Amino acid sequence: MQVSDRLAAYVRRTFADQDANTLLDALDQFDATIFGLQDPERCALAIVLLVQQGITPQDAFRLARTDWRDLLMAAELAYGNWPTRVADLLTDSPD
């Protein structure tokens, strides 16, 4: 899956260098076709949010492969406000 610039920036802001690189590489190699017509950035962010919450990357990717709907629910990106939430999370605001 192609990782958007703003998602990559979020990952780099959120994780240590090595962890960020590892996660971005894994996202880059992930087959996003399993998400069907869902927004790939939304689904990728869901994976990142779960990892940020302490779920192992392997488990987050496993959940994504098993059922993207459960992935979005677990990351709280399944509701109608998801576009605003994604934008809020991925917008780099000054400290």
Side-chain angles (χ1 to χ4, degrees), residues 48-78:
V48 171
L49 291 174
L50 293 183
V51 173
Q52 189 176 351
Q53 294 171 15
I55 294 173
T56 66
Q58 296 83 359
D59 286 343
F61 282 104
R62 185 177 304 115
L63 179 58
R65 283 189 300 274
T66 301
D67 192 332
W68 58 262
R69 294 164 294 208
D70 289 341
L71 172 74
L72 295 177
M73 289 294 291
E76 298 181 9
L77 291 175

Side-chain angles (χ1 to χ4, degrees), residues 2-93:
Q2 177 143 359
V3 177
S4 69
D5 290 341
R6 67 185 192 160
L7 179 58
Y10 178 82
V11 170
R12 292 192 189 290
R13 285 192 311 270
T14 306
F15 296 94
D17 288 342
Q18 184 58 43
D19 293 337
N21 290 335
T22 300
L23 185 54
L24 289 170
D25 288 343
L27 285 168
D28 194 44
Q29 295 174 25
F30 193 72
D31 180 9
T33 61
I34 64 165
F35 300 135
L37 298 177
Q38 297 303 308
D39 182 271
E41 184 180 56
R42 172 190 184 194
C43 295
L45 176 59
I47 292 169
V48 171
L49 291 174
L50 293 183
V51 173
Q52 189 176 351
Q53 294 171 15
I55 294 173
T56 66
Q58 296 83 359
D59 286 343
F61 282 104
R62 185 177 304 115
L63 179 58
R65 283 189 300 274
T66 301
D67 192 332
W68 58 262
R69 294 164 294 208
D70 289 341
L71 172 74
L72 295 177
M73 289 294 291
E76 298 181 9
L77 291 175
Y79 307 103
N81 69 337
W82 74 262
T84 302
R85 185 150 187 264
V86 168
D88 288 347
L89 287 166
L90 298 185
T91 299
D92 185 18
S93 60

